[in-house]
Amino acid sequence: PGGIVAQVEPSTFTVFLESFGSNKINVIKELRALTKLGLVEAKALIESAPVNLADDVDDKRAEEYRQALTGAGAVITIKPFHF
């Protein structure tokens, strides 16, 4: 009934890998630098694209992922995190 609905800016995000692009090795290296994943785990995750790489991260961390991985050739989407 007649209440005001406030638009709330998302405070946490999901980093989504659309594709690893043409330089898979560099994307794997960047993902390993961003996470504690080993080579086998990072390679498997990258090769399973499209896939979520990180959930419930703040905007600064999501931007770190985006810059590092797009710089390596990946296609990244940042989405608001939903529980």
Side-chain angles (χ1 to χ4, degrees), residues 17 19-34 39 42-43 46 65 67-74:
L17 174 68
S19 75
F20 53 77
S22 62
N23 202 340
K24 179 169 61 173
I25 293 171
N26 283 349
V27 175
I28 292 169
K29 286 179 184 177
E30 290 297 334
L31 181 61
R32 291 188 67 211
L34 290 163
L39 178 60
K43 181 178 182 285
I46 293 295
Y65 270 87
Q67 286 183 359
L69 296 171
T70 56

Side-chain angles (χ1 to χ4, degrees), residues 5-56:
V5 177
Q7 285 286 41
V8 177
E9 288 295 318
S11 60
T12 60
F13 300 88
T14 295
V15 179
F16 188 77
L17 174 68
E18 302 283 350
S19 75
F20 53 77
S22 62
N23 202 340
K24 179 169 61 173
I25 293 171
N26 283 349
V27 175
I28 292 169
K29 286 179 184 177
E30 290 297 334
L31 181 61
R32 291 188 67 211
L34 290 163
T35 65
K36 303 247 188 252
L37 294 176
L39 178 60
V40 173
E41 295 85 2
K43 181 178 182 285
L45 186 58
I46 293 295
E47 290 176 341
S48 67
V51 65
N52 285 352
L53 294 180
D55 286 320
D56 200 18

Side-chain angles (χ1 to χ4, degrees), residues 55-67:
D55 286 320
D56 200 18
V57 295
D58 65 23
D59 58 344
K60 182 180 176 190
R61 185 72 173 146
E63 185 61 20
E64 287 174 4
Y65 270 87
R66 189 189 67 73
Q67 286 183 359

